[in-house]
Amino acid sequence: RLSGLRALAVLGDASSVGMLLDVACSASESMSKEALTSLRQISGKGVDAALIKQTQTDDAQRLKAVITSLASRRAASAMPRLLELASHESDDVRTAAYKAMGVVGSFEHVPAILSSLLQADGADADVAARTVVALCRQMEDEDQRTAAIRSAFSAADTSTKPVLVKILGKLAGLPALQMVTSEAVLRNGDLRDSAVRALAEWPDDAPLDALLTLAESSENPVHRVLALRGAVRMLGPISSHSNEHRLGTLKQLLACATSDDDRKTVISGL
């Protein structure tokens, strides 16, 4: 039977899709894996369309298998249906749909996924955010890369804005930095917390000055520690500053440290 499944990867066509999905959903682990491999490799005409048609089912397990296959085939034609499945009643199906969109989608799909994210919460919002980050990274221009997220920010509710700030932190760039820094200084509650954490985890050393200010003056002790540790990290291998500037900033941070652990953190950066 394994040999037969392997043969379908070469000889099969759109009419083989239903049978392969049956095996993927009901057979042993080895048979299921082989069936999914054949679904990924089969090259007959209309296979993607046949898989998309198979999403018209209430069986969550089968839906996951279909979505997995569409992602493995990088079936861009599935994007409209995947967007619909992002609101499915099954948690597993929604998660699979968002992950698949990160593979088969493109930068032009970001606004639609953001629209879905604004209606999501919890784990859905997190996986949708990772999908948005993956697609936005296809755009080299840092202004265009984050334009849709910055635009969506004003329409987002208080529970979603922290997720958007986290996305901006992952994507970086000057426009994103300006918005996140503003939120870290002007806002309160979860939004400020998310902004401070985004600055502390920034992929380059662009927020160094903002973190130094937070480490010196934030009224929140947790934020002071996050800012201090983030600044020390930015004075390490990713630093774009001279050794003289690094040393001077570390001295400033050492003066901000209020615990032995934080002092050790700063000294480790010397």
Side-chain angles (χ1 to χ4, degrees), residues 76-89:
S77 59
M79 273 301 296
R81 182 58 178 147
L82 290 172
L83 281 165
E84 293 175 353
L85 292 173
S87 59
H88 194 273
E89 62 182 13

Side-chain angles (χ1 to χ4, degrees), residues 200-207 230-241:
E201 297 170 6
W202 210 262
D204 57 39
D205 67 351
V232 171
R233 180 180 65 83
M234 290 175 190
L235 291 167
I238 66 172
S239 177
S240 61
H241 298 282

Side-chain angles (χ1 to χ4, degrees), residues 17 19 24 40 45 54 90 116 124 190 201 233 237 251 253 265:
V17 167
M19 183 272 286
R40 182 181 74 248
K45 183 178 180 181
Q54 288 286 335
S90 165
S116 178
D124 286 348
D190 291 344
E201 297 170 6
R233 180 180 65 83
K251 289 179 178 178
L253 290 169
T265 297

Side-chain angles (χ1 to χ4, degrees), residues 5-58:
L5 290 173
R6 291 173 186 145
L8 284 175
V10 178
L11 304 175
D13 56 23
S15 66
S16 309
V17 167
M19 183 272 286
L20 287 170
L21 284 170
D22 289 341
V23 175
C25 296
S26 60
S28 65
E29 182 177 353
S30 60
M31 293 283 287
S32 176
K33 183 177 179 180
E34 201 64 51
L36 289 173
T37 298
S38 293
L39 283 166
R40 182 181 74 248
Q41 297 176 345
I42 195 169
S43 58
K45 183 178 180 181
V47 174
D48 289 351
L51 279 166
I52 294 170
K53 188 176 181 179
Q54 288 286 335
T55 63
Q56 304 297 330
T57 176
D58 294 327

Side-chain angles (χ1 to χ4, degrees), residues 171-239:
L171 295 173
L174 181 58
L177 177 60
Q178 291 172 336
M179 174 169 276
V180 176
T181 301
S182 175
E183 299 304 320
V185 174
L186 299 177
R187 304 300 178 186
N188 292 305
D190 291 344
L191 185 51
R192 172 179 282 186
D193 186 74
S194 181
V196 171
R197 292 177 187 276
L199 291 174
E201 297 170 6
W202 210 262
D204 57 39
D205 67 351
L208 180 58
D209 290 342
L211 289 172
L212 180 57
T213 298
L214 287 168
E216 291 175 332
S217 61
S218 176
E219 297 178 358
N220 185 315
V222 174
H223 292 171
R224 286 201 304 271
V225 171
L226 288 170
L228 182 144
R229 294 179 180 178
V232 171
R233 180 180 65 83
M234 290 175 190
L235 291 167
I238 66 172
S239 177

Side-chain angles (χ1 to χ4, degrees), residues 225 228-233 250 253-254 257 259-270:
V225 171
L228 182 144
R229 294 179 180 178
V232 171
R233 180 180 65 83
L250 285 168
L253 290 169
L254 189 58
S259 70
D260 289 342
D261 285 343
D262 288 340
R263 293 185 188 94
K264 290 177 182 178
T265 297
V266 176
I267 292 171
S268 72
L270 293 173

